[in-house]
Amino acid sequence: MARLVMKFGGTSVANIERIRNVAAHVRREVEAGYQVAVVVSAMSGKTNELVGWVNECSKFYDAREYDAVVASGEQVTSGLLALTLQEMGLNARSWQGWQIPICTSDAHGSARIESIDPARLDAGFARGEIAVVAGFQGVHEPTGRLTTLGRGGSDTSAVAVAAAIGAERCDIYTDVDGVYTTDPRIVPKARKLDKVSFEEMLEMASLGSKVLQVRSVEIAMVHKVRTFVRSSFDDPANPRPGTLICEEEEIVEQQVVTGIAFSKDEAQITLRRIADKPGVAANIFVPLAEANINVDMIIQVVSGKAENRDATTDLTFTVQAADYERAMDHLRKHKSDIAFEALEGATDVVKISAIGVGMRSHAGVAARAFKALADKGINIRAITTSEIKFSVLIDKDYTELAVRTLHSLFGLDAAA
Ligand code: ASP
Ligand code: MG
């Protein structure tokens, strides 16, 4: 029998009535002949509440106990959905991460899935059971401790379970009906995409689109799991397919740009008049890397001639907003080794990115965007590009204008 993973997010399981609606979606697929594993999130708001309690108890908490607390939200919804399915006369059993087991690293709070043993789920399917799996959680087997996969981690649980049980596809049910060209709250003319490639989805998720956890897309890409993003609020008797995340070859009508993502979770740091000589960049970035601070965009002002030993240069880079204070502190502490004249920072910035596999074969895509932004009087503070995307860092106040400008420029607006 073909197998299917269905994942439901927090808003889809927010109360018992919605859990009944989820159960109706599950029943439809069981009746269609699938062996189904359902992966659930905690009720919406629950994980935030649990995290809040942990912070209230302990400022520098023990991450193992953080996991013990925050994993509980999914334990509740998995049990409730199994009960609801049973009430409908279906055969269902809940599974916590450790029971399967979903084995992870010991990076508590953001553990990585290392392996999933499908034997118990297989045995359950053989007994005719629907498996209801608590998302977001796993176990670090050597210590036997429960772990969680980082915020939004149920997506990753779902795709990883789909790969482990050889599911035909993984349906991610959420409160939107698919993946959009950009956030429809910012651009009302945003369009739902029918298909998007793994690579593009990976960039979109990394660059700020919050539909899927980045790691879930990585796993889908590596294991070629056909993944749909679709709405749990559709009538269970008449659901729409949503957006398929699949291999590039499957997408016939490819646009140059597929989507515009933005992230406000950015901060800019500038070091003024650092020595222009070998080893300076290493002096700056090695300590930041050792402190686990990820650096993203980097720009260095053009260097002088090699023989000009007293030359100085300016260096600008970005970090995640959450790491900003730590990074600034770190740089101040290393002031004497790095030898900069001034340290400047800004958090009122946003990174806007355009993504599309079509960029590989089209020249001048970024240049057109720079021109369009300039025409709107938007100043670009930093730029990065790669094979299938480019990003610009601009003032936060211009977020909407910039996103709308690029969305229209690349022909993504829905027909009026
Ligand atoms: N409940 C967890 C969170 O809120 C995991 C998830 O929903 O994917 O982050
Ligand atoms: Mg989510």
Side-chain angles (χ1 to χ4, degrees):
M1 269 165 98
R3 290 176 173 179
L4 180 65
V5 170
M6 305 172 76
K7 183 257 169 178
F8 293 89
T11 46
S12 313
V13 294
N15 53 46
I16 303 301
E17 191 193 321
R18 295 217 182 137
I19 291 177
R20 289 203 181 104
N21 178 60
V22 164
H25 280 286
V26 174
R27 178 172 57 194
R28 178 190 69 238
E29 301 297 355
V30 170
E31 285 171 354
Y34 284 105
Q35 292 180 332
V36 177
V38 194
V39 175
V40 286
S41 290
M43 291 178 174
S44 58
K46 192 36 129 184
T47 310
N48 286 344
E49 180 182 50
L50 296 168
V51 170
W53 287 341
V54 169
N55 285 318
E56 207 178 315
C57 273
S58 164
K59 189 152 182 264
F60 300 104
Y61 52 74
D62 178 332
R64 288 160 294 196
E65 302 310 337
Y66 166 96
D67 277 351
V69 176
V70 302
S72 64
E74 276 73 8
Q75 175 159 345
V76 172
T77 46
S78 57
L80 289 173
L81 178 58
L83 286 172
T84 307
L85 290 163
Q86 289 173 1
E87 281 297 310
M88 288 180 158
L90 296 163
N91 192 357
R93 186 60 62 208
S94 69
W95 294 94
Q96 305 309 296
W98 63 270
Q99 290 175 306
I100 293 178
I102 296 178
C103 301
T104 73
S105 69
D106 65 351
H108 286 276
S110 60
R112 274 182 179 275
I113 296 180
E114 287 173 347
S115 64
I116 298 180
D117 184 348
R120 290 198 173 127
L121 296 177
D122 286 345
F125 290 140
R127 292 190 295 269
E129 286 170 14
I130 300 162
V132 185
V133 178
F136 185 49
Q137 40 163 281
V139 61
H140 178 243
E141 289 235 288
T143 55
R145 305 258 5 143
L146 197 152
T147 56
T148 64
L149 309 179
R151 298 306 306 270
S154 301
D155 297 332
T156 302
S157 309
V159 177
V161 166
I165 65 172
E168 179 186 287
R169 61 175 210 269
C170 179
D171 285 351
I172 309 252
Y173 286 83
T174 177
D175 50 3
V176 291
D177 59 351
V179 178
Y180 277 71
T181 48
T182 193
D183 187 338
R185 285 167 300 187
I186 298 268
V187 182
K189 286 180 183 164
R191 270 187 300 115
K192 201 201 87 192
L193 295 160
D194 291 333
K195 290 181 181 178
V196 57
S197 71
F198 289 124
E199 247 187 292
E200 289 169 326
M201 194 64 228
L202 190 59
E203 292 285 7
M204 287 188 201
S206 312
L207 294 168
S209 144
K210 297 200 173 63
V211 193
L212 292 175
Q213 201 196 33
V214 177
R215 281 183 196 165
S216 70
V217 188
E218 285 169 0
I219 296 177
M221 183 155 96
V222 169
H223 296 277
K224 304 194 193 313
V225 179
R226 291 166 66 78
T227 302
F228 284 84
V229 173
R230 53 195 299 187
S231 171
S232 67
F233 297 122
D234 280 359
D235 175 2
N238 197 9
R240 293 168 295 170
T243 300
L244 170 63
I245 304 158
C246 60
E247 299 211 74
E248 206 176 310
E249 293 70 49
E250 240 188 89
I251 304 172
V252 189
E253 273 178 57
Q254 194 61 258
Q255 303 267 0
V256 177
V257 170
T258 305
I260 311 290
F262 59 91
S263 161
K264 295 185 176 171
D265 181 28
E266 307 287 324
Q268 177 186 339
I269 296 176
T270 300
L271 293 161
R272 295 276 183 211
R273 282 177 290 286
I274 50 172
D276 187 12
K277 62 176 187 204
V280 173
N283 265 349
I284 298 166
F285 294 119
V286 171
L288 289 176
E290 279 165 359
N292 244 322
I293 296 170
N294 267 325
V295 171
D296 177 22
M297 311 170 111
I298 301 177
I299 343 176
Q300 189 188 321
V301 172
V302 70
S303 302
K305 293 209 173 75
E307 60 270 21
N308 185 0
R309 283 292 169 205
D310 333 303
T312 62
T313 183
D314 290 350
L315 188 86
T316 289
F317 58 92
T318 64
V319 296
Q320 287 185 9
D323 290 335
Y324 174 68
E325 290 300 341
R326 228 154 45 85
M328 291 292 271
D329 249 17
H330 220 68
L331 293 166
R332 274 186 216 112
K333 274 197 202 115
H334 289 80
K335 180 165 184 184
S336 53
D337 339 328
I338 304 171
F340 53 85
E341 206 174 290
L343 175 65
E344 293 162 12
T347 51
D348 52 349
V349 292
V350 62
K351 181 172 68 178
I352 313 242
S353 308
I355 298 120
V357 290
M359 281 187 212
R360 282 200 206 105
S361 48
H362 287 79
V365 181
R368 281 170 62 204
F370 303 155
K371 171 83 172 58
L373 294 174
D375 288 346
K376 297 278 182 212
I378 299 172
N379 186 40
I380 298 173
R381 292 163 165 258
I383 300 170
T384 47
T385 65
S386 74
E387 212 191 8
I388 67 158
K389 68 122 208 280
F390 65 84
S391 306
V392 294
L393 191 75
I394 61 166
D395 290 353
K396 214 173 238 170
D397 288 348
Y398 291 106
T399 308
E400 294 192 6
L401 181 60
V403 173
R404 285 187 190 148
T405 300
L406 298 186
H407 198 267
S408 310
L409 176 72
F410 292 116
L412 299 176
D413 290 352

